[in-house]
Amino acid sequence: MTDRITLSVIKADVGGYVGHSSIHTDLIETAKEKLSNAQEKGMLIDFHVTRCGDDLELIMTHKHGVDAENIHKLAWNTFVACTEVAKELKLYGAGQDLLSDAFTGTVKGMGPGVAEMEFEERKSEPIVIFMADKTSPGAWNLPLYEIFADPFNTAGLVIDPTMHDGFIFEVVDVYEHKKITFSCPEEIYDLLMFIGAMRRFIIRAVYRKDGMIAAAASTQKLSLIAGKYVGKDDPVLIVRCQAGLPAVGEVLEPFAFSHIVEGWMRGSHHGPLMPVAFYEANPSRFDGPPRVIAAGFQLCNGKLIGPRDLFDDPAFDEARRKANEIADYLRHHGPFEPHRLGLEDLEYTTMDQLMKKLEGRFQPE
Ligand code: F6R
Ligand code: MG
Ligand code: MG
């Protein structure tokens, strides 16, 4: 136990309604009941249950620190209970993100995505939690770079003396299971060389130079965890805002540009990341295009005051319109790259089978 507050966002897809497009309300209700029991027992200070597409999102505050076994177990048991409901209703892909039958001390490496941070709550603590569906953790690289290192996005980097020193990025190599930090702005060219390759190098956290944590992202990639495709690794991201950190508007600003991410149909296509209001987070066209929602909270002694639906703003209409235009343009490529991902990144493929079947028909050219 510590005096500091921990904010844990733990998510999983434990059953879709209909197909992979959304979530049945019974799952939300079940999750609320489980977390409410934990709150009554004093384990949680507060919680909020929501969803983005087919992903169930558990937002929890507590005093147990990051990677706390009891909190991870609570999330796991909640997902198991929701899986039971999903099975009863024969919802699609019931339990798909729970890769094990038993809990072994952490949800990390077991399917769910996790973003957590522990900090001292400031005089006022505005927080934005981003949640995405039909994409993967590399989707946060570009916006995180813009928020914390791009002066064309974040005016505060230039004109606020408390932000002028810049930020430190922690980057994970998800293939090699290694991490490295870059200090910016001094090392932005080095940083960009890595994070531009957003399949392999993923920003996990951002710190102010005095060590204060500013952002934390989920970096779990299900396809790497399971060694084969078992569902999408739809990511979450926590960003603290204001007063020496980027303003809420600076944190949202990168999403006014619908950048191209991997995911969408069968986790095997490039598509635009569309910022939407909560009620629009139901990717249905070609199982997409990929969506992102932004839930704003003010923390008050660990209580989650909110959420405010931050993309429910006509100022993001143009990003949505552009995303539809880009979606149309990419869709016209059908099975051709770069709409379809490169061979090595496909999460569904018939290539091995075809190569075997057609082996004898290949002739020297
Ligand atoms: C993408 C996603 C969906 C499914 C697709 C096929 O992340 O979840 O696009 O890949 O609907 O699903 P299955 O193979 O279960 O029929
Ligand atoms: Mg699903
Ligand atoms: Mg999903």
Side-chain angles (χ1 to χ4, degrees):
M1 294 284 257
T2 120
D3 281 344
R4 289 146 61 92
I5 302 282
T6 305
L7 174 59
S8 300
V9 183
I10 306 185
K11 50 82 43 183
D13 174 352
V14 291
Y17 168 68
V18 171
H20 291 280
S21 65
S22 193
I23 270 189
H24 195 281
T25 45
D26 285 4
L27 268 59
I28 307 265
E29 291 313 315
T30 304
K32 281 184 182 165
E33 204 181 295
K34 293 283 164 200
L35 297 193
S36 170
N37 290 342
Q39 187 183 23
E40 273 165 30
K41 287 185 195 138
M43 192 194 297
L44 298 180
I45 303 172
D46 202 4
F47 69 89
H48 180 73
V49 177
T50 187
R51 50 112 223 157
C52 180
D54 57 7
D55 290 283
L56 184 60
E57 319 272 357
L58 312 179
I59 300 171
M60 300 170 283
T61 53
H62 55 91
K63 295 226 164 183
H64 302 272
V66 302
D67 290 327
E69 180 167 344
N70 61 342
I71 299 297
H72 281 222
K73 188 168 186 188
L74 170 65
W76 182 264
N77 290 342
T78 302
F79 292 138
V80 169
C82 292
T83 298
E84 288 311 310
V85 176
K87 282 183 178 159
E88 275 163 31
L89 297 174
K90 287 181 71 178
L91 298 177
Y92 196 70
Q96 72 165 47
D97 281 0
L98 305 186
L99 305 182
S100 162
D101 290 335
F103 179 77
T104 55
T106 173
V107 295
K108 284 188 177 161
M110 297 179 75
V114 188
E116 291 184 293
M117 54 164 78
E118 186 186 4
F119 52 84
E120 214 159 289
E121 189 177 295
R122 295 172 294 166
K123 195 170 76 187
S124 181
E125 188 66 64
I127 282 182
V128 179
I129 299 174
F130 294 98
M131 294 158 269
D133 188 34
K134 302 296 180 275
T135 184
S136 58
W140 306 133
N141 278 10
L142 185 148
L144 278 172
Y145 174 80
E146 292 195 342
I147 294 165
F148 291 102
D150 180 2
F152 280 71
N153 180 88
T154 298
L157 293 169
V158 181
I159 62 175
D160 181 347
T162 62
M163 284 175 60
H164 198 72
D165 283 347
F167 292 89
I168 291 170
F169 290 73
E170 181 181 288
V171 175
V172 176
D173 177 344
V174 293
Y175 289 2
E176 299 283 329
H177 301 286
K178 289 195 281 202
K179 62 177 184 179
I180 181 170
T181 56
F182 294 96
S183 184
C184 296
E186 314 88 272
E187 297 185 306
I188 57 173
Y189 297 162
D190 297 358
L191 172 71
L192 284 168
M193 188 61 218
F194 288 92
I195 63 169
M198 56 203 211
R199 258 176 220 108
R200 174 163 177 187
F201 297 100
I202 298 176
I203 302 171
R204 181 160 64 196
V206 181
Y207 296 89
R208 215 160 62 173
K209 289 200 172 158
D210 62 5
M212 175 179 164
I213 186 147
S218 61
T219 50
Q220 288 73 27
K221 292 195 79 171
L222 278 185
S223 48
L224 293 178
I225 292 169
K228 64 181 179 66
Y229 177 71
V230 282
K232 276 302 328 148
D233 27 18
D234 308 309
V236 290
L237 166 68
I238 305 170
V239 186
R240 299 170 79 191
C241 312
Q242 307 285 157
L245 294 173
V248 169
E250 290 168 333
V251 170
L252 300 176
E253 177 66 7
F255 296 90
F257 163 62
S258 269
H259 68 295
I260 304 275
V261 295
E262 61 171 50
W264 207 348
M265 176 57 77
R266 298 177 188 276
S268 300
H269 293 81
H270 282 121
L273 184 63
M274 185 189 269
V276 292
F278 299 161
Y279 76 95
E280 290 176 322
N282 306 300
S284 44
R285 178 188 176 184
F286 199 59
D287 289 359
R291 305 295 153 103
V292 56
I293 57 171
F297 294 94
Q298 288 288 150
L299 279 194
C300 178
N301 305 317
K303 287 270 173 203
L304 290 155
I305 310 301
R308 267 224 58 229
D309 183 355
L310 294 165
F311 288 143
D312 185 11
D313 175 351
F316 290 96
D317 284 351
E318 187 58 15
R320 295 187 266 267
R321 195 196 60 74
K322 265 280 188 30
N324 276 325
E325 200 178 301
I326 297 163
D328 267 340
Y329 175 80
L330 285 171
R331 282 301 301 123
H332 282 191
H333 292 74
F336 287 82
E337 297 177 15
H339 181 31
R340 199 180 74 185
L341 298 186
L343 287 178
E344 62 286 0
D345 298 312
L346 290 175
E347 291 186 344
Y348 285 59
T349 186
T350 48
M351 193 51 130
D352 295 347
Q353 260 174 301
L354 285 178
M355 276 299 192
K356 218 168 271 165
K357 187 172 105 186
L358 302 176
E359 217 174 358
R361 281 173 47 190
F362 277 99
Q363 301 292 326
E365 56 127 16

